[in-house]
Amino acid sequence: MKSTITVIGTGRMGSALAGSLLQAGYRTTIWNRTRQKTDPLAKLGAIVAPSVEEAVHAGEIIIVNVSDYEATKALLHHDAVSSAMRGKLIVELTSGTPSGAREAAEWHTKRGASYLDGAIMATPDYIGTDAGTILLAGPRAAFDAHSDVFRALGGNVQHVGEEPGRANALDSALLALMWGALFGTLHAIAVCQSEEIELDELARQWSATAPVVDGLVADLIKRTSTGRFASDTETLSSISAHHGSMQHLMELMQSRKIDRSVVDGYDAIVKRAIAAGHLHDDFAALSQYLMVGK
């Protein structure tokens, strides 16, 4: 028989999770602070619990997707609710920090529940699709025992390690990559607008440049993982080349009154590396200067 599932939190993401489970044929109970948000799922066959305690009693697997860990605590850290968790699997899919995940894992374990902490690396429209990616950390046995449930949530749901903070750490790392790209795009747009270049032209040129950037990112990760910081015959770009071009960008931004705060931060890291003698080393050498005070 299929597991019974409870989803706590039916915002856009929680609704997507519950909807995928219903579509896969799972008996799904839902709870949300604003009851009206449960109506579309109720029409699809979800059972609406009148309280968090009853929602937890109803499911063998409890999926939590609320605003943050403090919201989860406010809902679950009550004697009646926590006693109902014993013997169940709690899957926390709320955004948080690695330390928050470790604290939550300890709290749930002490109350006799299994615990997996996850990070959803997708927008709601990807949930339930082959491309839907969710990272889960915690006991491998708990993940394997319910792999069919996780497949219903997405075709790329992965167990990334037993250490409960690992999924959130990877989430933060990948978000740092994403925000670097998005803020870089904002800078590019500002430069083009200030120089009266059509954004369609920027889009065309980015399409041609993107494979080069992807290659640089992959090379940076590979070289840093092996500590190959000195320039060699395989170096794609040195710090000196980037430093020179960055000064040109900063001068343009200054003259066009474009906010430089993010780029000034990049420049500070580059200057620390240069002061330490890495001007002509591979760009990967900068990875040694991200820690404050180094």
Side-chain angles (χ1 to χ4, degrees):
M1 293 181 62
K2 289 191 171 186
S3 302
T4 55
I5 318 291
T6 288
V7 177
I8 295 176
T10 58
R12 288 188 64 232
M13 185 61 77
S15 292
L17 295 168
S20 294
L21 292 166
L22 288 166
Q23 188 172 8
Y26 287 94
R27 184 177 184 274
T28 304
T29 299
I30 57 176
W31 180 89
N32 193 71
R33 190 180 301 279
T34 304
R35 190 181 175 92
Q36 292 93 317
K37 290 186 177 181
T38 65
D39 290 345
L41 291 167
K43 291 176 182 177
L44 296 176
I47 301 163
V48 181
S51 67
V52 174
E53 181 184 350
E54 291 183 58
V56 172
H57 271 294
E60 300 167 80
I61 300 171
I62 316 301
I63 297 174
V64 184
N65 185 248
V66 291
S67 57
D68 54 34
Y69 283 13
E70 290 305 311
T72 298
K73 289 179 183 179
L75 295 173
L76 302 186
H77 288 207
H78 303 283
D79 290 343
V81 177
S82 61
S83 63
M85 294 179 187
R86 183 168 297 277
K88 298 176 185 285
L89 171 62
I90 312 301
V91 183
E92 176 70 85
L93 294 181
T94 295
S95 297
T97 64
S99 60
R102 295 176 193 120
E103 179 186 332
E106 182 179 4
W107 186 87
H108 285 87
T109 300
K110 284 181 178 179
R111 283 151 185 82
S114 297
Y115 182 82
L116 291 172
D117 198 277
I120 301 173
M121 310 307 299
T123 49
D125 53 311
Y126 277 86
I127 299 301
T129 71
D130 289 342
T133 297
I134 300 175
L135 309 181
L136 291 171
R140 179 75 200 214
F143 177 85
D144 289 343
H146 302 287
S147 59
D148 56 336
V149 174
F150 300 132
R151 276 196 299 271
L153 299 179
N156 193 32
V157 180
Q158 307 172 39
H159 182 262
V160 295
E162 299 264 341
E163 202 285 302
R166 193 174 174 90
N168 269 323
L170 282 166
D171 180 39
S172 292
L174 292 166
L175 285 173
L177 262 175
M178 180 189 74
W179 287 325
L182 292 178
F183 275 100
T185 303
L186 291 176
H187 287 141
I189 289 169
V191 167
C192 287
Q193 289 176 331
S194 70
E195 293 289 325
E196 298 182 353
I197 297 171
E198 298 83 359
L199 295 185
D200 285 349
E201 179 67 14
L202 173 62
R204 282 193 294 272
Q205 297 305 332
W206 169 244
S207 294
T209 306
V212 177
V213 178
D214 286 345
L216 288 168
V217 170
D219 184 68
L220 172 57
I221 294 171
K222 181 178 179 181
R223 291 184 75 100
T224 303
S225 70
T226 56
R228 291 173 57 213
F229 300 132
S231 286
D232 54 33
T233 57
E234 296 180 350
T235 287
L236 300 177
S237 59
S238 66
I239 290 174
S240 60
H242 284 275
H243 179 59
S245 296
M246 192 175 293
Q247 303 315 301
H248 299 154
L249 172 62
M250 292 170 69
E251 181 181 339
L252 186 159
M253 295 174 80
Q254 184 70 25
S255 68
R256 293 296 190 179
K257 295 182 170 52
I258 299 170
D259 189 292
R260 274 182 29 170
S261 54
V262 174
V263 179
D264 283 342
Y266 296 158
D267 187 54
I269 296 167
V270 171
K271 285 177 177 175
R272 286 204 298 273
I274 291 173
H278 294 287
L279 176 62
H280 299 294
D281 283 340
D282 192 278
F283 189 85
L286 294 176
S287 65
Q288 303 170 94
Y289 295 91
L290 270 290
M291 301 300 288
V292 175
K294 186 160 185 177

